[in-house]
Amino acid sequence: ESISDHQKDPHHRIPLGDELRAGAQHFGTVTALSPRAEFRWWLLGNHEDRMRRQIWKAAENRVMGEIVTLPHVREALEWPNLLGIGAHGWEVTPYPDHRVLFDKLVVKHGTRTGQNPEKAEYTHFGKGGLSGHTHSFGAHHRRDYNGFHTWLGLGCLCDLDPSYVDRPNWQQGFALVTWAKDRQSYQMERVEIYDGAAWFRGVRYVGD
């Protein structure tokens, strides 16, 4: 099926197999573009966590519970195996856990919402960080005796007009983090995408 077919019928769900193939292709592209990466992390979000909840729900049935808890079945249903990314060096961080880059910068899917989720994330960790979850841009800055800190809301890379939300206030984007050689300082740059195009360091990039 094509995306246009899905848009004509917003209540039609794309088959899970198609979504898994698209996901595997995406991870393959990112892997190919980053051959010298020191690490590759996939931080699961609340959407991916639905798989675990659905497995638990299925396990309420006695027979299904026995099947899905078999070691090989349980292993096959884990995200790295469903997408085939474990062999390419990807590590998966379960939701809502986080990672910390060089003990300086928190990276997480995000769990907080409200008027200023970036401030709430910073207040919880006391470090600068990056998060998504809200699908929108935001920033919180703090200077204290421990230095200067920034927490960025990254926006998203998803469809801005999904069938299940009426004109959400979402923005597309991502961030680049440049580190000093000693990994003691860094600079964050958020790249904002508007109508499929983004400016980065004086160059305009347009998507397919």
Side-chain angles (χ1 to χ4, degrees), residues 11 14 28 31 36 44 70-71 121 126-127 154 163 173 191 197 200:
H11 300 291
I14 298 174
T31 301
R36 295 187 296 171
L44 301 185
L70 289 171
E121 296 283 11
K127 289 180 180 289
L154 298 178
S163 60
V191 181
F200 179 63

Side-chain angles (χ1 to χ4, degrees), residues 139-198:
H140 176 71
H141 305 282
R142 171 76 178 179
R143 178 177 177 269
D144 56 26
Y145 282 107
N146 295 314
F148 183 80
H149 314 274
T150 296
W151 194 291
L152 289 183
L154 298 178
C156 64
L157 293 174
C158 61
D159 181 4
L160 296 181
D161 292 301
S163 60
Y164 55 88
V165 183
D166 182 20
R167 299 293 296 177
N169 180 27
W170 296 350
Q171 299 90 42
Q172 292 176 331
F174 58 93
L176 178 77
V177 183
T178 303
W179 290 85
K181 290 184 178 180
D182 62 4
R183 310 301 178 113
Q184 293 303 300
S185 61
Y186 60 87
Q187 174 69 41
M188 294 191 292
E189 298 173 83
R190 186 168 58 200
V191 181
E192 303 176 357
I193 303 170
Y194 298 106
D195 296 326

Side-chain angles (χ1 to χ4, degrees), residues 17-45:
D18 290 351
E19 293 192 0
L20 291 176
R21 281 189 289 273
Q25 182 180 12
H26 170 74
F27 279 106
T29 299
V30 174
T31 301
L33 291 173
S34 56
R36 295 187 296 171
E38 293 182 37
F39 35 74
R40 297 185 178 96
W41 295 338
W42 181 19
L43 283 76
L44 301 185

Side-chain angles (χ1 to χ4, degrees), residues 39 41 43 93 97-108 125 127-129 151 179:
F39 35 74
W41 295 338
L43 283 76
T93 300
D97 293 349
H98 65 278
R99 295 273 191 159
V100 183
L101 287 169
F102 310 116
D103 198 37
K104 294 288 184 181
L105 183 67
V106 179
V107 183
K108 62 178 301 192
F125 288 97
K127 289 180 180 289
W151 194 291
W179 290 85

